[in-house]
Amino acid sequence: MRRDQAVEIKIGVQHTPREITLESNQSTDEVEKVVAEALAGESRLLSLTDERGRKVLVPADRLAYVEIGEPTVRKVGFGAI
């Protein structure tokens, strides 16, 4: 994936009213693989890295849902509204 593209990821956590939203430089396939491993019990934590390099860790047994968006190109500079 190109560095100027980001994938929006929304994570629902059981018993938590708000979802976690982050943008990641990981590809949709990479994110899907990590989520599948967590749900299959191969990993006790869902671990994702956001675009700034911060790690987001969620216990796999608390996942309610994971929504993976399509990669979008980041806009740089100023534009007319």
Side-chain angles (χ1 to χ4, degrees):
M1 172 176 280
R2 294 177 13 201
R3 302 255 312 132
D4 62 341
Q5 289 187 341
V7 174
E8 183 181 53
I9 304 166
K10 294 181 183 180
I11 305 168
V13 181
Q14 294 177 11
H15 311 295
T16 305
R18 292 178 49 175
E19 64 188 10
I20 299 168
T21 303
L22 66 132
E23 288 192 6
S24 177
N25 291 328
Q26 294 172 276
S27 71
T28 55
D29 291 337
E30 289 174 326
V31 173
E32 187 174 349
K33 181 181 177 208
V34 172
V35 170
E37 288 172 354
L39 292 175
E42 295 176 27
S43 173
R44 294 173 54 185
L45 288 174
L46 171 62
S47 175
L48 297 169
T49 305
D50 74 2
E51 63 186 353
R52 294 184 180 159
R54 297 178 292 197
K55 286 226 178 226
V56 176
L57 303 171
V58 180
D61 62 345
R62 297 287 183 210
L63 289 174
Y65 65 89
V66 177
E67 182 181 313
I68 305 168
E70 289 295 316
T72 57
V73 177
R74 294 187 186 127
K75 295 185 168 79
V76 179
F78 298 96
I81 296 181

